[in-house]
């Protein structure tokens, strides 16, 4: 496999993980302490529980990623769905620790590591498949966090994407910014050297 393609895959995957983490944190920042722990019905998970579950999964999957099974024997998955004795601070501390393990592991991967195989619950996964699985898992639950935060904030919700009924305005603004950037770059372009010989006057 082309090494540049592999390097692009790794860097863009890390960028995607960071982007999803940032979205979750911007959503969580908009809810109160009570809302952080509130479940909207008897079967639903609170934001706190979802955060604990994402973090627990990251701890387990990415600790010694290449050398041990992704489902660690000391993981208590069921406890991730209980948050009665937790504080917001303790949950977010667990969250940060899980993401640190993920990023440290991803950033340490070498190009040749992507051809290896890892295990999750005894099942073989290519490294690429395991990475994609982890990204999809985090993204799906972060979508739940954003949904709940928006549900609690209602009209006070600060959108994390293009505002409703503002797509055309957003696209025009983006096009204008791109035009300005293009004009700035063109000012620094060096004119090509003349291919002809200098006039000697003869």
């Amino acid at each position: 496999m082309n090494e540049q393609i592999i390097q692009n895959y790794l860097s863009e995957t890390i960028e995607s993980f960071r982007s999803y983490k940032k979205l979750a944190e911007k959503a969580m920042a908009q809810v109160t302490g009570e809302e952080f722990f509130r479940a909207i019905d008897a079967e639903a998970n609170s934001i706190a529980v979802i955060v604990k579950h994402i973090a627990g999964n990251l701890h387990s999957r990415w600790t010694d990623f290449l050398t041990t099974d992704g489902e660690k024997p000391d993981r208590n998955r069921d406890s991730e769905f209980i948050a009665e004795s937790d504080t917001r601070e303790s949950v977010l501390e667990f969250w940060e620790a899980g993401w640190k393990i993920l990023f440290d592991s991803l950033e340490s991967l070498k190009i040749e590591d992507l051809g290896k195989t890892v295990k999750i619950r005894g099942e073989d996964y290519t490294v690429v498949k395991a990475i994609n699985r982890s990204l999809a898992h985090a993204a799906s639950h972060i979508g739940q966090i954003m949904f709940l935060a928006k549900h609690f904030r209602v009209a006070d919700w600060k959108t994390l994407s293009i505002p409703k009924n503002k797509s055309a305005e957003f696209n025009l603004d983006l096009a204008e910014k791109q035009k300005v950037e293009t004009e700035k770059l063109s000012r620094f372009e060096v004119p090509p050297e003349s291919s002809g010989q200098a006039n000697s006057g003869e």
Side-chain angles (χ1 to χ4, degrees):
M1 188 182 292
N2 183 285
E3 289 190 2
Q4 188 58 55
I5 293 175
I6 298 174
Q7 194 57 55
N8 288 346
Y9 168 77
L10 281 173
S11 61
E12 289 171 13
T13 297
I14 292 170
E15 183 181 345
S16 293
F17 271 115
R18 292 194 186 281
S19 177
Y20 282 122
K21 180 176 185 284
K22 186 179 294 185
L23 283 173
E25 290 168 350
K26 286 183 176 180
M28 288 189 281
Q30 297 189 49
V31 302
T32 66
E34 186 274 333
E35 291 164 346
F36 187 73
F37 287 94
R38 187 198 304 173
I40 58 176
D41 61 57
E43 294 299 317
N45 292 318
S46 66
I47 291 175
V49 162
I50 298 169
V51 169
K52 282 187 69 177
H53 175 56
I54 293 173
N57 182 272
L58 294 177
H59 275 268
S60 186
R61 295 290 183 268
W62 291 96
T63 298
D64 301 323
F65 172 64
L66 292 174
T67 57
T68 63
D69 193 299
E71 187 67 11
K72 300 298 184 287
D74 61 349
R75 181 189 184 190
N76 185 351
R77 185 178 181 277
D78 290 339
S79 71
E80 296 164 14
F81 296 91
I82 302 170
E84 282 80 358
S85 61
D86 291 294
T87 65
R88 185 167 182 159
E89 290 72 23
S90 68
V91 171
L92 293 179
E93 183 178 340
F94 187 47
W95 163 268
E96 287 294 341
W99 284 98
K100 184 178 187 305
I101 292 169
L102 163 78
F103 289 126
D104 286 349
S105 184
L106 273 178
E107 289 167 355
S108 71
L109 291 179
K110 300 178 176 61
I111 289 175
E112 57 268 26
D113 291 331
L114 270 72
K116 296 178 180 178
T117 299
V118 297
K119 288 187 180 294
I120 301 175
R121 295 192 177 99
E123 184 178 348
D124 287 339
Y125 285 80
T126 64
V127 165
V128 171
K129 185 176 181 180
I131 292 172
N132 291 343
R133 172 185 166 122
S134 184
L135 180 60
H137 179 265
S140 66
H141 285 305
I142 287 168
Q144 294 172 340
I145 291 172
M146 293 168 64
F147 170 82
L148 288 170
K150 185 176 182 180
H151 170 78
F152 293 137
R153 287 280 60 77
V154 195
D156 293 329
W157 169 253
K158 295 180 178 64
T159 185
L160 305 180
S161 60
I162 301 172
K164 191 175 181 179
N165 298 321
K166 296 286 186 178
S167 294
E169 182 180 327
F170 176 87
N171 290 337
L172 285 172
D173 184 54
L174 181 62
E176 183 60 31
K177 288 179 180 177
Q178 291 171 341
K179 180 182 177 182
V180 170
E181 287 301 315
T182 300
E183 290 173 350
K184 284 182 180 178
L185 289 173
S186 66
R187 294 175 195 156
F188 294 98
E189 289 181 355
V190 179
E193 294 181 2
S194 173
S195 59
Q197 296 293 324
N199 190 334
S200 64
E202 294 180 0

